[in-house]
């Protein structure tokens, strides 16, 4: 079973954090971590489980300080894309399910802080966490969920 809340609890943590290293290893991400390409500030890792992790260089976070080094990677985002999951069971946080429609997401999460009507993407923010839900089929299905943090946590 994919435990998304456990991953969400590590958003904003460094590649040097023991819990982060455990999660990455559990999902088959090998050390040392691949570094971003020249001119890029992030690297994404698609896992066999169907999840995708985005790690971003520490200096790109608004609360970057000398506690971290330039180039140190921070877990920024987890992407959950139903069609990649191959029927695996998972636990989602915040009451989210893949059965949500656009209307039921608004009932659950309230007004969004941003939306892109062309792509049918909608974003909410709670306590430093951003939730983006991309809908398909006129708002009747979930195309993807991404959960991210834009602050470094220690």
């Amino acid at each position: 079973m994919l435990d998304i809340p456990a991953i969400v609890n590590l958003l904003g943590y460094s590649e040097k954090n023991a819990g982060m290293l455990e999660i990455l290893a559990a999902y088959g991400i090998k050390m040392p971590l691949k570094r971003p390409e020249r001119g890029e500030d992030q690297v994404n890792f698609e896992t066999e489980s169907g999840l995708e992790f985005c790690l971003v260089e520490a200096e790109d976070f608004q609360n970057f300080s000398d506690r971290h080094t330039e180039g140190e990677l921070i877990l920024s985002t987890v992407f959950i894309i139903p069609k990649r999951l191959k029927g695996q069971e998972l636990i989602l946080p915040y009451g989210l399910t893949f059965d949500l429609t656009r209307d039921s997401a608004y009932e659950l999460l309230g007004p969004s802080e941003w939306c892109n009507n062309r792509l049918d993407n909608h974003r909410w923010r709670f306590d430093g966490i951003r939730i983006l839900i991309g809908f398909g089929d006129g708002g009747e299905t979930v195309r993807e969920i991404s959960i991210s943090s834009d602050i470094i946590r220690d």
Side-chain angles (χ1 to χ4, degrees):
M1 178 170 299
L2 304 176
D3 187 358
I4 306 304
I7 297 167
V8 169
N9 286 336
L10 291 169
L11 290 173
Y13 280 96
S14 162
E15 65 183 302
K16 296 177 182 176
N17 176 279
M20 242 276 278
L21 292 172
E22 275 183 43
I23 286 282
L24 294 176
Y27 285 94
I29 298 171
K30 306 234 185 296
M31 299 298 150
L33 290 174
K34 180 178 129 186
R35 309 320 284 185
E37 297 289 326
R38 185 181 187 115
E40 298 292 323
D41 64 355
Q42 68 185 41
V43 61
N44 286 34
F45 297 91
E46 287 187 34
T47 68
E48 287 192 23
S49 69
L51 300 177
E52 184 175 338
F53 297 95
C54 176
L55 285 85
V56 176
E57 292 177 334
E59 60 270 24
D60 283 0
F61 286 80
Q62 62 188 9
N63 64 331
F64 174 70
S65 71
D66 60 3
R67 294 182 323 233
H68 300 280
T69 58
E70 285 190 29
E72 186 175 338
L73 294 175
I74 308 294
L75 180 59
S76 170
T77 306
V78 59
F79 296 95
I80 309 138
I81 301 170
K83 70 179 184 179
R84 289 188 191 166
L85 296 177
K86 303 170 192 138
Q88 294 184 75
E89 289 187 41
L90 63 113
I91 301 168
L92 291 168
Y94 308 109
L96 300 173
T97 70
F98 289 130
D99 296 328
L100 287 173
T101 65
R102 184 185 324 112
D103 291 342
S104 65
Y106 275 83
E107 287 175 25
L108 175 68
L109 302 170
S112 67
E113 74 165 8
W114 172 90
C115 70
N116 178 320
N117 290 323
R118 186 176 63 78
L119 297 175
D120 210 357
N121 288 342
H122 303 261
R123 184 175 64 211
W124 293 264
R125 184 183 302 266
F126 303 101
D127 301 322
I129 298 291
R130 292 184 314 256
I131 300 169
L132 182 134
I133 304 176
F135 295 97
D137 300 318
E140 294 301 312
T141 60
V142 172
R143 191 178 69 255
E144 75 172 291
I145 296 173
S146 67
I147 304 172
S148 58
S149 174
D150 56 7
I151 60 169
I152 298 175
R153 301 181 343 184
D154 288 314

